[in-house]
């Protein structure tokens, strides 16, 4: 795959109340484009730095509100164009930064975010929600008049992807995105496995369980020993961090003790959690059996009376939906992000945050080996399956219109 790219369209689209009266094409300003998405963020973002020879930024007083229309091609028939549709993706100009003025024009940086991120700042949930967690998320994103009311696709609502449990709570004037992310560790994927992720990609919103994401079929990327133009090659790689024992102990990842106070019955329940209960394929090896000693003490309140489903006593919220069952999900999320790997690959518009990548790095040859061998998960090295935590497409004009995709990959090191 050639790393070159061609910008077919890059323009600002006026909206009601914006400074522009007609679309303004900025592709002639030799723009450098950075696109970003992350499994931790409910909004995608784009940064564009360009030379504004007409000084429209200053003359029109552009400060935000315009939509972006963008279309980039690599000239490869096997790869679709990278496209931002102003009617579909709704990428709104959020801020104008670093404006440098000279006699030849202005150099400016435009920051775009999803319009739903703006709506989220003005929305507050004020009603009581009850029912399946996936239905609640769908209601907040689509139907609730105090919610987001997005027109974008929402992935993870299929029958086999939906949350397996129900939940009851009051909105308490929280923001919609904050509420959905608060629900993520409380969402059950089945068999006492908790933990969902909520984020936005180029295709729409995703609300899926960690287990289902990790079981997706991966793209295979190899680090070649010699220079090659292979489409699925790793250009650079760097192990950012491995499991941090000290931080894990501080957060109670290996063992913790939680006291649950039942307001209705005026009783308390002490739950000891150990990571050995999760039946991991590769349990952590800690010195002196530290995984057996609680390193964090927590106090939580369970109030089935206030959050019960109906008015009669037999409709009290079941224990399986209360916090006493969900403490494992917090350790589960910490395990997922315990190891991080950064890689650079040729520009690939098909990749999304949450996609699985099979990283294969070359191993040192033995004396009797004639061909390169690549690491697998069984080799206990940094090769193996990872999930894309952060994705960034960089389309820069600094080196002959070269393009590259940078990935931050995470791996659940104890369950691979």
């Amino acid at each position: 795959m050639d790393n070159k790219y061609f910008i077919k369209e890059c323009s600002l689209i006026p909206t009601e109340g914006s400074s522009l009266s007609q679309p303004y094409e900025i592709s002639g300003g030799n723009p450098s484009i950075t696109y970003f998405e992350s499994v931790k963020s409910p909004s995608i973002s784009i940064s564009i730095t360009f030379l504004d020879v007409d000084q429209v930024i200053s003359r029109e007083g552009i400060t935000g509100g315009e939509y972006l229309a963008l279309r980039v091609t690599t000239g490869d028939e096997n790869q679709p164009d990278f496209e931002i549709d102003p009617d579909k993706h709704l990428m709104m100009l959020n801020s104008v930064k670093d404006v440098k003025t000279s006699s030849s024009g202005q150099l400016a940086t435009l920051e775009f975010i999803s319009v739903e991120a703006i709506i989220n700042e003005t929305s507050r949930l004020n009603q009581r929600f009850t029912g399946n967690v996936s239905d609640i998320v769908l209601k907040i994103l689509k139907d609730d008049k105090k919610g987001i009311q997005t027109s974008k696709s929402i992935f993870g609502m299929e029958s086999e992807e939906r949350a397996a449990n129900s939940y009851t709570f009051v909105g308490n004037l929280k923001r919609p995105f904050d509420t959905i992310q608060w629900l993520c560790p409380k969402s059950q994927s089945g068999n006492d496995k908790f933990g969902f992720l909520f984020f936005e990609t180029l295709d729409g919103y995703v609300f899926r369980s960690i287990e289902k994401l990790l079981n997706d079929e991966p793209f295979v990327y190899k680090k070649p020993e010699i220079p090659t133009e292979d489409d699925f090659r790793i250009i650079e790689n760097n192990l950012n961090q491995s499991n941090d024992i000290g931080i894990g102990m501080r957060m109670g990842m290996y063992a913790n003790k939680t006291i649950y106070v039942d307001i209705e019955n005026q009783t308390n329940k002490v739950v000891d959690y150990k990571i050995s209960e999760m039946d991991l394929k590769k349990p952590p090896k800690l010195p002196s059996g530290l995984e057996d000693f609680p390193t964090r003490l927590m106090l939580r309140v369970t109030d089935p009376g206030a959050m019960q489903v109906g008015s009669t006593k037999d409709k009290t919220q079941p224990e399986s939906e209360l916090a006493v069952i969900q403490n494992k999900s917090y350790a589960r999320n910490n395990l997922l992000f315990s190891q991080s790997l950064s890689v650079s690959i040729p520009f690939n518009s098909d990749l999304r945050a949450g996609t699985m990548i099979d990283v294969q790095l070359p191993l040192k040859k033995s004396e009797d080996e004639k061909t390169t061998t690549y690491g697998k998960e069984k080799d206990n090295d940094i090769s193996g399956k990872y999930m894309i935590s952060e994705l960034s497409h960089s389309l820069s004009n600094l080196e002959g219109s070269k393009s590259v995709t940078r990935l931050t990959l995470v791996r659940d090191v104890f369950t691979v």
Side-chain angles (χ1 to χ4, degrees), residues 40-293:
K40 298 180 180 179
S41 173
S43 175
I44 56 178
S45 62
I46 296 179
S47 174
I48 300 178
T49 300
F50 75 107
L51 179 62
D52 181 13
V53 294
D54 298 323
Q55 296 189 353
V56 173
I57 299 295
S58 294
R59 286 193 296 104
E60 298 290 345
I62 296 177
T63 58
E66 291 75 16
Y67 285 152
L68 173 67
L70 175 66
R71 188 178 180 188
V72 179
T73 182
T74 61
D76 187 345
E77 296 181 353
N78 298 322
Q79 184 172 180
D81 291 348
F82 179 78
E83 184 174 6
I84 299 294
D85 189 316
D87 297 321
K88 176 183 177 182
H89 297 101
L90 301 174
M91 297 299 295
M92 177 178 284
L93 179 60
N94 182 56
S95 65
V96 180
K97 295 182 177 181
D98 301 328
V99 180
K100 299 179 177 63
T101 303
S102 65
S103 58
S104 59
Q106 289 181 323
L107 187 67
T109 298
L110 309 180
E111 301 280 353
F112 297 86
I113 61 175
S114 300
V115 70
E116 287 85 355
I118 304 296
I119 296 173
N120 179 66
E121 296 303 314
T122 62
S123 301
R124 296 294 186 275
L125 302 177
N126 62 357
Q127 66 169 285
R128 181 175 182 268
F129 295 89
T130 185
N132 182 274
V133 177
S134 292
D135 289 337
I136 293 174
V137 171
L138 185 62
K139 183 176 182 179
I140 292 173
L141 291 177
K142 289 281 189 180
D143 304 325
D144 191 348
K145 293 182 179 179
K146 297 295 182 67
I148 300 297
Q149 294 187 300
T150 182
S151 59
K152 296 178 180 177
S153 300
I154 303 175
F155 298 90
M157 296 298 157
E158 302 82 3
S159 57
E160 67 276 7
E161 297 276 358
R162 289 164 56 84
N165 66 314
S166 299
Y167 203 71
T168 303
F169 66 97
V170 178
N172 288 332
L173 299 180
K174 291 184 179 179
R175 296 180 179 88
F177 286 164
D178 295 343
T179 301
I180 296 175
Q181 291 182 321
W182 172 76
L183 284 171
C184 283
K186 299 171 174 59
S187 303
Q188 184 178 3
S189 57
N191 299 324
D192 291 332
K193 294 182 178 179
F194 286 83
F196 273 57
L197 293 175
F198 171 68
F199 54 97
E200 185 184 11
T201 71
L202 195 65
D203 298 325
Y205 289 102
V206 178
F207 182 74
R208 295 184 63 197
S209 71
I210 294 175
E211 301 298 327
K212 296 291 177 61
L213 286 169
L214 293 176
N215 287 331
D216 284 346
E217 192 68 25
F219 288 83
V220 179
Y221 275 85
K222 292 184 177 181
K223 177 72 177 290
E225 266 196 317
I226 58 177
T228 178
E229 293 300 318
D230 181 25
D231 292 0
F232 296 93
R233 71 184 188 275
I234 295 176
I235 302 172
E236 296 179 351
N237 65 278
N238 178 61
L239 180 64
N240 301 328
Q241 65 178 22
S242 61
N243 178 50
D244 191 310
I245 295 176
I247 293 179
M249 294 178 64
R250 176 64 63 90
M251 300 185 71
M253 183 191 302
Y254 311 116
N256 61 65
K257 183 188 295 290
T258 309
I259 302 174
Y260 294 92
V261 178
D262 189 325
I263 295 179
E264 184 181 48
N265 299 317
Q266 297 184 7
T267 59
N268 69 77
K269 180 179 181 180
V270 180
V271 177
D272 285 304
Y273 163 78
K274 296 181 181 179
I275 199 171
S276 57
E277 298 174 5
M278 299 184 70
D279 193 24
L280 303 178
K281 295 179 181 178
K282 293 182 180 180
K285 297 179 180 179
L286 303 173
S288 303
L290 288 177
E291 68 273 16
D292 294 328
F293 296 94

Side-chain angles (χ1 to χ4, degrees), residues 221 233-235 343-348 351 404-407:
Y221 275 85
R233 71 184 188 275
I234 295 176
I235 302 172
V343 300
S344 297
I345 60 175
F347 176 71
N348 187 343
L351 295 180
V404 66
T405 296
R406 295 182 174 88
L407 307 175

